[in-house]
């Protein structure tokens, strides 16, 4: 109704509300909008770099299907040595590392009230 009264131009109505094209090519007499630099980069496939699911940010995604070529060291190329611990090994405690082991907490009465 505001368009019919001349208060509002058709090209000023958002294209999704009027059911038109984003560049105003559907409106006669309206100036056609051009592509931005970012639009051209996106259209040429620049968005695929940001859609990577690699843990390093960019690169190949995870191979969920098992069809991609395998990469990495060959079997036996890397040797991992696991340290051997004695039977009665006790890992260090954080309190022992800080030096708080000498302080003993005060003994409280029944139910921890006194």
């Amino acid at each position: 109704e505001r368009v019919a009264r001349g208060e509002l131009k058709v090209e000023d109505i958002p294209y999704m509300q009027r059911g038109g094209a984003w560049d105003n090519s559907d409106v006669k007499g309206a100036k056609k909008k051009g592509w931005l630099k970012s639009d051209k980069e996106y259209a040429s496939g620049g968005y695929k770099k940001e859609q990577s699911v690699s843990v390093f940010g960019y690169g190949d995604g995870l191979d969920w299907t098992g069809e991609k070529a395998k990469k990495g060291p060959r079997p036996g190329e890397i040797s991992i040595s696991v340290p051997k611990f004695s039977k009665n090994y006790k890992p260090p405690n954080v309190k022992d590392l800080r030096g708080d082991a000498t302080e003993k907490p005060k003994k409280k009465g029944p139910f921890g009230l006194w």
Side-chain angles (χ1 to χ4, degrees):
E1 64 190 49
R2 291 177 64 188
V3 175
R5 288 185 293 198
E7 295 177 13
L8 196 61
K9 296 179 183 177
V10 177
E11 62 261 19
D12 291 337
I13 300 172
Y15 73 96
M16 290 184 181
Q17 291 181 0
R18 71 172 188 259
W22 69 270
D23 61 353
N24 289 339
S25 60
D26 60 316
V27 180
K28 291 184 180 181
K31 185 177 178 184
K32 188 174 178 181
K33 293 181 182 178
W35 284 41
L36 299 173
K37 182 182 175 188
S38 59
D39 294 332
K40 292 176 184 175
E41 290 174 1
Y42 184 85
S44 66
Y47 64 95
K48 292 182 181 175
K49 186 167 62 172
E50 277 75 29
Q51 289 181 342
S52 173
V53 291
S54 174
V55 294
F56 300 113
Y58 297 116
D60 293 338
L62 298 173
D63 184 18
W64 295 103
T65 60
E67 296 175 358
K68 292 184 183 178
K70 305 289 187 243
K71 295 180 183 177
R74 292 177 191 86
E77 202 171 293
I78 295 178
S79 63
I80 299 172
S81 61
V82 180
K84 300 288 182 186
F85 296 109
S86 65
K87 185 176 180 182
N88 296 326
Y89 174 74
K90 183 181 175 195
N93 194 342
V94 176
K95 292 180 182 177
D96 296 339
L97 297 174
R98 281 193 277 165
D100 294 343
T102 57
E103 298 177 20
K104 293 189 178 184
K106 295 179 181 178
K107 188 173 180 181
K108 295 186 177 185
F111 307 109
L113 297 174
W114 294 279

